[in-house]
Amino acid sequence: MGRAPLPPGSPLSPNAGVPPMPGAAARGLNPQQPKKEVVEQRTLVVGRGISVQGTVQDAERLVVEGTVESSMISAKELAVMPGGLFRGGVEVENAEIAGTVDGSLTARGSLTLRATGRLLGKAACRRLKVEDGGQITGQLEMLSDDNSAPKPSVAPAADKPVTAEG
């Protein structure tokens, strides 16, 4: 009695390639591409209606559509979507805020505040872009390119948001 042959692409077959990713064909991805050609980031997405409290480790990209409360998160990228809320502290390379960040945010690279974005508390960044309608309430610190002392910039009043004018 012989064994049935393994299906093509089985991880147990001797000449198997990378097993296909679910939905890869629908997204136009070639499942047989070598891994080094595909840049994958460890991404955590907190969806709408979901609340997360605690510590996030080893996430390169954090996408907040719901609510995240954390004392300190370190990642490469932060994206707070419209309706999303991040409360706590975060240190990233780049951040794009279209929802609300309430706490402490450090972006060693760029910080983009979309028209629907609100930043409450303390923020530090090297490059800043605020779309018309974006609001910053609190303290803003611009980091210098030469890593010397930061240049503080304080919003006029803590109870009045600074709004970008077009």
Side-chain angles (χ1 to χ4, degrees), residues 6-85:
L6 294 170
S10 169
L12 301 176
S13 61
N15 297 322
V18 177
M21 296 184 331
R27 292 191 302 264
L29 299 175
N30 180 357
Q32 300 301 321
Q33 288 179 336
K35 284 187 176 184
K36 58 185 162 188
E37 287 182 23
V38 178
V39 177
E40 292 184 22
Q41 289 186 324
R42 293 183 306 264
T43 301
L44 173 63
V45 178
V46 178
R48 284 194 204 307
I50 297 175
S51 294
V52 174
Q53 287 184 312
T55 305
V56 175
Q57 295 180 327
D58 300 328
E60 292 177 319
R61 186 165 191 260
L62 175 61
V63 179
V64 180
E65 297 172 347
T67 301
V68 173
E69 293 186 40
S70 177
S71 57
M72 179 49 79
I73 291 179
S74 182
K76 275 188 177 180
E77 294 179 33
L78 171 68
V80 181
M81 308 307 284
L85 169 64

Side-chain angles (χ1 to χ4, degrees), residues 92-159:
V92 294
E93 190 62 36
N94 298 308
E96 182 173 333
I97 312 301
T100 301
V101 172
D102 183 359
S104 172
L105 166 68
T106 300
R108 294 178 301 276
S110 65
L111 169 60
T112 302
L113 195 62
R114 298 290 176 204
T116 57
R118 290 181 19 179
L119 185 56
L120 311 169
K122 275 183 141 176
C125 63
R126 184 159 284 122
R127 291 178 304 282
L128 175 66
K129 178 180 178 183
V130 181
E131 289 182 351
D132 186 22
Q135 297 179 1
I136 300 174
T137 302
Q139 181 179 349
L140 176 63
E141 185 176 303
M142 297 304 295
L143 303 174
S144 62
D145 287 332
D146 61 1
N147 292 331
S148 63
K151 304 169 194 168
S153 172
V154 180
D159 60 346

